[in-house]
Amino acid sequence: MNYEVIKSRHSVRSYTNQPLPTEIRHVLTALLDECNSNSGLHMQLVCDEPKAFGSSLLARYGKFSNVCNYICMIGKKCSQTEELLGYYGEKLVLKAQESGLNTCWVGMSFRKGKIPADISNDEKLYAVIAIGYGTTQGVAHKIKTAKQICPEIDSAPEWFRRGVEYALLAPTAVNQQKFRFKWSGENRVEVNSSWGFFSKMDLGIARLHFELGAYPIKVEWVQDAN
């Protein structure tokens, strides 16, 4: 994934009426199917559906407008699901950005009862990703320094430092950036996150960004019990 695509991606909450082109829908659906197959998730793309965000106090509170397309972040009711959704959902976010679209991770500012998704009894809708052509390209937010998420970064190899740089560009709920990385020798990386709003999903997003930055090194993740 091109660094400029990652760097230029910002959360966008207001969208135009321009529909998603058929060819882009096919690209997103193909990647979505691949991600679901690899992860066991049940993410679904919903297009031309305005009710989930329409006439909603939550949507207005979250300053969302004209959201008619979104990806439903659905998976099993288990402890690993949120991190998986973050990791694979961000793959879709970056593909959308690469395709000229805008996106926003959304945790609560929508009406779950209005979403026409296929959800089995052992599954849950954890979040959605708004997607479409934004009225703006969004703006960059203040981020932490590399030393704040990895105090020992100066002694780490270049690929690790690059991974941290990419991870700092990962979107997180209310810009928390609760994750921490530590080089554990060779290609091993320890990662953990303190408690926070949607922190598990944020960790999955950050892990993907780190891997993209560390490429072609194949990261071996070492995650603590917390």
Side-chain angles (χ1 to χ4, degrees), residues 51-62 64 108-111:
K51 294 181 181 179
F53 284 83
S55 302
S56 167
L57 288 175
L58 282 172
R60 288 197 293 272
Y61 177 77
F64 286 95
M108 295 186 296
S109 300
F110 58 93
R111 295 187 291 179

Side-chain angles (χ1 to χ4, degrees), residues 83 149 177-182 189-195 199 202-203 206-207 221-226:
E83 190 171 337
I149 69 167
Q177 296 189 302
K178 295 283 189 178
F179 45 77
R180 297 290 183 272
F181 294 93
K182 181 180 179 181
V189 178
E190 181 180 327
V191 59
N192 58 71
S193 176
S194 55
W195 186 91
S199 60
D202 290 347
L203 185 58
R207 279 184 54 229
W221 291 106
V222 181
Q223 190 165 352
D224 66 14
N226 297 322

Side-chain angles (χ1 to χ4, degrees), residues 86-107:
Y87 184 91
Y88 286 97
E90 186 68 2
K91 284 179 177 280
L92 294 163
V93 163
L94 295 178
K95 176 57 70 175
Q97 183 73 25
E98 187 179 51
S99 302
L101 301 177
N102 303 102
T103 55
C104 186
W105 284 86
V106 190

